[in-house]
Amino acid sequence: MTFKIVDIEELIAQAKASGVSKISVEVPLLASYTQEACVSQTQWMMLPHYHKHYAWLHVDAEGVPFYAGYGRGPYAWQKNGGIAWEWFVRERLGGEYRVVVLAVGLSEAHIHSIFEQMLEMYNTRLLNQSSFYRGMDYDALKEENDKKRAIRPFYAFVDSKKPASEIFQAALTAQQLQYELDPYRGETGRFGEVLKAMDASQPVNDYFITSIVEWYMGQGDLDAAKNAFAEFKKRAPRLAASKRVTRLDKLLERGRFYRRPGWLDQ
């Protein structure tokens, strides 16, 4: 089978010339595409219809689609697929991918119809963040959202005028609840797999660890403070440069307070 880009305008012109008032257009949505179906940016910009709306797929070396889109001009060759697309192309494809142009000469109605067909056809394979066709594990998503809601009251409690021991226990509980979050369980398909592999979501923040470290130091237990902080940094490596974490690093290195935090004496 020889692959050919579907030219909607050409088909419509042929239908009108034949006196046909309605046509059915089939876009070749295949499991994979051969090299002959792929087109480079240089080749595309030399064609007479490069400025028209077109629908396209990004495919890997085996021709298997991993991203769908539409646009005009060189849009399909621009790196605009989002963080999951960027990570996948860089880490899994070595920066190499190909473009298959499926159809050209599209009206707004054609664009959205074909794009929806692509999202539905390739559903779990695609890295399009906006696709609803890949599905979600809604039970898992609800469970994670319930866990997040359970953490919210602890922020106000830790910032309150409660006894220091109660603030410490609240911070300890909230920190453990954060450690137990799994923000990827609701996502399915390749998109969820890539998000998890790249550790795109960070459910742990540095709000509660300050109270935990300061409490242990206030009790004279420097080892416990260091252990709690080491566990935090292991679970939240991207927060290493935050102001709170930097301050706690210096505090633990010094091993004592310059000025004892007032909340410890509440």
Side-chain angles (χ1 to χ4, degrees):
M1 173 183 172
T2 301
F3 179 87
K4 183 180 179 181
I5 298 172
V6 175
D7 190 329
I8 304 293
E9 291 180 345
E10 180 182 334
L11 293 176
I12 292 174
Q14 290 174 355
K16 287 181 178 178
S18 303
V20 178
S21 59
K22 187 176 182 180
I23 63 172
S24 176
V25 178
E26 290 189 13
V27 176
L29 298 179
L30 310 177
S32 63
Y33 295 83
T34 61
Q35 179 64 45
E36 70 166 350
C38 303
V39 58
S40 69
Q41 180 178 341
T42 301
Q43 291 171 327
W44 179 250
M45 298 302 285
M46 292 175 64
L47 295 176
H49 43 219
Y50 75 90
H51 61 287
K52 300 174 184 177
H53 282 105
Y54 61 97
W56 48 266
L57 289 167
H58 286 165
V59 301
D60 61 21
E62 281 71 48
V64 177
F66 65 90
Y67 195 83
Y70 58 87
R72 291 193 297 183
Y75 193 74
W77 292 268
Q78 295 172 351
K79 296 180 171 138
N80 50 19
I83 59 170
W85 180 96
E86 291 176 4
W87 186 92
F88 183 77
V89 170
R90 182 181 66 250
E91 300 296 329
R92 297 286 170 82
L93 304 184
E96 300 293 330
Y97 65 96
R98 296 180 289 173
V99 175
V100 174
V101 176
L102 299 175
V104 67
L106 307 173
S107 65
E108 286 293 324
H110 290 137
I111 287 174
H112 293 293
S113 175
I114 293 175
F115 184 60
E116 288 296 313
Q117 289 178 50
M118 291 191 292
L119 294 181
E120 184 175 10
M121 169 71 179
Y122 302 112
N123 51 65
T124 58
R125 298 183 188 178
L126 297 182
L127 294 175
N128 293 68
Q129 184 172 346
S130 60
S131 174
F132 295 103
Y133 289 98
R134 67 174 176 270
M136 297 192 74
D137 185 338
Y138 288 102
D139 290 338
L141 184 64
K142 181 181 182 303
E143 185 177 332
E144 290 305 307
N145 286 335
D146 288 344
K147 288 181 180 179
K148 291 177 182 177
R149 279 192 290 272
I151 296 172
R152 289 173 191 167
F154 288 96
Y155 288 95
F157 193 96
V158 169
D159 201 34
S160 69
K161 298 297 183 182
K162 301 288 185 180
S165 60
E166 293 182 18
I167 291 176
F168 164 69
Q169 288 299 329
L172 206 60
T173 300
Q175 192 72 80
Q176 186 57 43
L177 289 174
Q178 283 192 341
Y179 290 163
E180 293 170 2
L181 288 173
D182 183 353
Y184 311 106
R185 288 206 308 138
E187 293 284 358
T188 59
R190 178 178 277 168
F191 185 74
E193 293 170 3
V194 168
L195 288 183
K196 187 168 187 177
M198 66 185 290
D199 193 22
S201 181
Q202 177 54 266
V204 180
N205 60 36
D206 58 9
Y207 191 85
F208 301 108
I209 191 61
T210 298
S211 299
I212 295 170
V213 169
E214 289 181 349
W215 166 265
Y216 280 132
M217 289 192 66
Q219 300 300 303
D221 195 342
L222 184 59
D223 286 340
K226 288 182 176 180
N227 289 337
F229 192 52
E231 177 68 12
F232 170 82
K233 289 200 294 184
K234 181 177 72 174
R235 293 178 180 265
R238 285 185 291 164
L239 293 177
S242 75
K243 290 183 179 180
R244 282 196 181 108
V245 171
T246 300
R247 185 182 74 81
L248 291 176
D249 261 323
K250 293 178 180 178
L251 176 63
L252 288 170
E253 184 179 355
R254 190 168 57 244
R256 58 183 175 80
F257 295 118
Y258 274 140
R259 180 180 299 173
R260 181 181 172 85
W263 74 271
L264 289 174
D265 298 319
Q266 293 176 176

